[in-house]
Amino acid sequence: MNVTPRPLLPKRRLAGAAALKLVTCASVLAACGDAPPGEGSAYTVRDSAEVSIVESVAPVWGDSLTRADPEPLVQVGSAEEGPAQFAFVGMGLLLADGGFAVTENAVGEIRVFDAEGTHIRTLGGNGGGPGEFQLLSNLFRYRGDSIGAYDQRLRRATLFSLADGGHRTLPNEVQGNYNAFGALADGRILLYSPGGGFRPDLEPGLQWVPTEVLALAPDGAADTLAHLPSRQQLVLEGGDTDQVIPAYYATQAVADDGFYWASQDRWEIRFFNGEGGLRRVQRRPLEPAPVTQAMIDAWIEANLER
């Protein structure tokens, strides 16, 4: 994708597929550039209790539209059996050398390609043994030459060397339905719960189900960094939850020294440091627009045509 708008996010390494979602969100917000704001700036910055508040009022690139190049940089796919044939692509991860890794969830594999789309090696596979997966739920960069993969069913992270394909499994003392969304520079892996389950602590109605954000150390111990909204769900009488479609979800990404968190019902991205402290809020102040019958009719017509 040849989109190079002036960056909203600080120049930190982002890890994981969720990082691409946040970068897209950042481009929409377009709150700040590298230079300090001046008169007539598209954004303002102020500090509140050691938290930087950045508010955008217009894109930093002006009125011109920023578009993705319609021609792909590289294309991988084949009708013939082999590593270029995919049935169920789960996640993709850009690598530091310009290559990329793609998960084939149908067989629990991670396939690594160079920048030209040539297959380098295949990692993992279906199973419960070392280096295998039963529910490959995320893929992220790890320190050194490694990438990490998380198995949500087995509740374990596996690190693979990109140099030789070797692997090791990290211990995990965390119990429950958690998923990884990236790793900090110090080797801690960040986990969150996608929501769901019985919640007697929430009032009946449409609610944001919160999650603990956990930092899983290489020795298996975990610390709670924050409690943040994870997914919007309908809470029934008694505490049972029912997923609502469409629903709002949280979007996450990890940097070397902290993590980003955004929920789809708010035009803002929050950055937390590696200990869970809020350090930066980047937002686009917008007034909500009411849904009109004309908007509903247009949506129905467009979907019927499709």
Side-chain angles (χ1 to χ4, degrees):
M1 180 180 294
N2 292 341
V3 179
T4 55
R6 205 172 177 187
L8 163 66
L9 303 178
K11 293 182 179 179
R12 299 180 173 95
R13 173 182 62 82
L14 296 181
L20 299 179
K21 298 179 183 178
L22 267 183
V23 169
T24 302
C25 183
S27 299
V28 173
L29 287 173
C32 65
D34 298 324
E39 184 177 356
S41 174
Y43 66 97
T44 60
V45 181
R46 58 186 172 87
D47 289 331
S48 176
E50 299 184 354
V51 178
S52 295
I53 309 294
V54 181
E55 291 194 341
S56 167
V57 295
V60 296
W61 52 81
D63 296 331
S64 62
L65 296 176
T66 301
R67 299 184 181 276
D69 191 327
E71 295 299 322
L73 297 178
V74 63
Q75 184 170 324
V76 174
S78 174
E80 299 180 1
E81 186 175 353
Q85 184 185 69
F86 293 93
F88 182 11
V89 174
M91 292 146 288
L93 179 65
L94 296 176
L95 305 177
D97 62 358
F100 54 95
V102 181
T103 65
E104 171 49 91
N105 284 16
V107 289
E109 292 180 349
I110 304 167
R111 299 175 185 175
V112 182
F113 300 84
D114 66 15
E116 303 301 320
T118 302
H119 177 251
I120 303 299
R121 62 172 47 88
T122 295
L123 309 170
N126 281 334
E132 297 177 333
F133 304 100
Q134 292 185 6
L135 180 57
L136 180 54
S137 57
N138 213 342
L139 188 65
F140 50 91
R141 290 186 188 178
Y142 200 75
R143 59 189 179 184
D145 71 338
S146 299
I147 59 174
Y150 194 78
D151 189 313
Q152 196 169 352
R153 182 170 296 158
L154 295 176
R155 298 197 299 269
R156 70 184 187 190
T158 302
L159 305 180
F160 292 92
S161 169
L162 291 173
D164 57 17
H167 61 82
R168 62 188 178 99
T169 301
L170 296 184
N172 183 7
E173 298 177 2
V174 177
Q175 300 295 318
N177 179 33
Y178 284 88
N179 192 14
F181 65 99
L184 299 169
D186 61 12
R188 289 180 297 161
I189 296 173
L190 299 190
L191 308 176
Y192 81 105
S193 174
F198 184 71
R199 293 303 302 261
D201 56 318
L202 298 179
E203 294 293 329
L206 193 60
Q207 304 286 351
W208 271 98
V209 178
T211 178
E212 288 184 313
V213 178
L214 305 177
L216 178 65
D219 64 1
D223 294 320
T224 299
L225 301 185
H227 291 82
L228 296 170
S230 175
R231 180 168 73 176
Q232 197 175 57
Q233 286 188 300
L234 180 64
V235 180
L236 307 177
E237 293 289 343
D240 286 328
T241 57
D242 188 19
Q243 184 173 349
V244 179
I245 298 177
Y248 290 122
Y249 293 83
T251 303
Q252 314 83 14
V254 181
D256 286 330
D257 56 347
F259 65 96
Y260 296 89
W261 198 274
S263 55
Q264 295 174 354
D265 64 336
R266 304 175 69 180
W267 286 75
E268 72 175 35
I269 299 172
R270 285 163 284 171
F271 176 73
F272 298 83
N273 64 19
E275 304 307 318
L278 180 62
R279 288 295 175 264
R280 187 177 181 90
V281 178
Q282 302 175 195
R283 66 166 64 110
R284 182 81 182 268
L286 294 173
E287 292 293 331
V291 176
T292 65
Q293 186 60 46
M295 294 167 62
I296 296 174
D297 293 342
W299 182 88
I300 292 175
E301 182 178 357
N303 281 270
L304 287 176
E305 290 178 356
R306 185 176 63 180

